[in-house]
Amino acid sequence: MLALYPGTFDPITNGHTDLVRRAVGLFEGVIVAVAADTTKHTLFGHEQRLEMAKTVFADEPRVEVVGFSGLTIHYARERKAAAILRGLRAVSDFEFEFQLAIMNRRLEPRIETIFLTPGESSTFISSTLVREIARLGGDVDEFVHPTVSEALARAYEDKGDS
């Protein structure tokens, strides 16, 4: 069985990495699907986000990193995923994720949504917080892969925000 873990991953954090590495223990493989279509204003372009995720999981043969566009549930069906993996950090995540899971089930009843909570050391990590820390010149090394930390430093150096 395959699980699909969709997201914008702007940037991919140690919280995302934790979920994927634990999901590999539950599934034959995990597809990290980096969304091209997003209503979010992203710091990094689609290709940059894709490359960072590929670097982070380069050591894990059961993780495939791909880009996708369109509805997640359609892509999950196309890839024959048995489940969509979603992370829940706090109760505040639950309402949106629950609605999304119900809608996806309505669109494709054969694909389940599986919720995982991050490990204690990454419960508080979010891409938004990591970007803000980096933008203000803070050290994000403990929250992201070194390649991501370097990319954040370059992005904010280029924008003149650090």
Side-chain angles (χ1 to χ4, degrees), residues 11-17 121-122 124-127 129-131 133-134 138-146 148-149 152:
I12 191 161
T13 68
N14 291 346
H16 297 123
T17 304
S121 64
S122 55
F124 61 93
I125 301 173
S126 75
S127 295
L129 288 175
V130 167
R131 284 192 313 270
I133 292 166
D139 182 0
V140 296
D141 290 349
E142 71 178 284
F143 311 124
V144 296
H145 186 277
V148 176
S149 181
L152 283 162

Side-chain angles (χ1 to χ4, degrees), residues 71-141:
L71 285 175
T72 299
I73 197 69
H74 290 169
Y75 189 68
R77 183 186 317 137
E78 178 184 318
R79 293 301 308 269
K80 297 179 176 36
I84 295 175
L85 177 65
R86 300 297 295 174
L88 292 176
R89 289 178 308 235
V91 173
S92 58
D93 292 342
F94 181 76
E95 186 174 353
F96 172 76
E97 294 295 344
F98 181 75
Q99 289 175 332
L100 192 58
I102 297 300
M103 182 57 75
N104 282 335
R105 185 181 303 145
R106 180 72 180 212
L107 295 172
E108 179 51 79
R110 295 171 295 181
I111 299 174
E112 288 295 334
T113 298
I114 304 294
F115 297 108
L116 289 180
T117 56
E120 292 174 11
S121 64
S122 55
T123 300
F124 61 93
I125 301 173
S126 75
S127 295
T128 302
L129 288 175
V130 167
R131 284 192 313 270
E132 186 66 3
I133 292 166
R135 185 181 73 79
L136 296 171
D139 182 0
V140 296
D141 290 349

Side-chain angles (χ1 to χ4, degrees), residues 25-80:
L26 301 172
F27 296 93
E28 293 168 12
V30 176
I31 302 165
V32 175
V34 181
D37 302 324
T38 178
T39 57
K40 297 178 182 178
H41 176 72
T42 60
L43 174 63
F44 296 105
H46 186 244
E47 285 301 317
Q48 289 174 291
R49 292 181 282 122
L50 194 54
E51 288 307 312
M52 284 188 279
K54 285 181 178 179
T55 299
V56 168
F57 294 112
D59 66 333
E60 182 51 73
R62 293 189 301 155
V63 174
E64 177 186 5
V65 177
V66 297
F68 83 103
S69 61
L71 285 175
T72 299
I73 197 69
H74 290 169
Y75 189 68
R77 183 186 317 137
E78 178 184 318
R79 293 301 308 269
K80 297 179 176 36

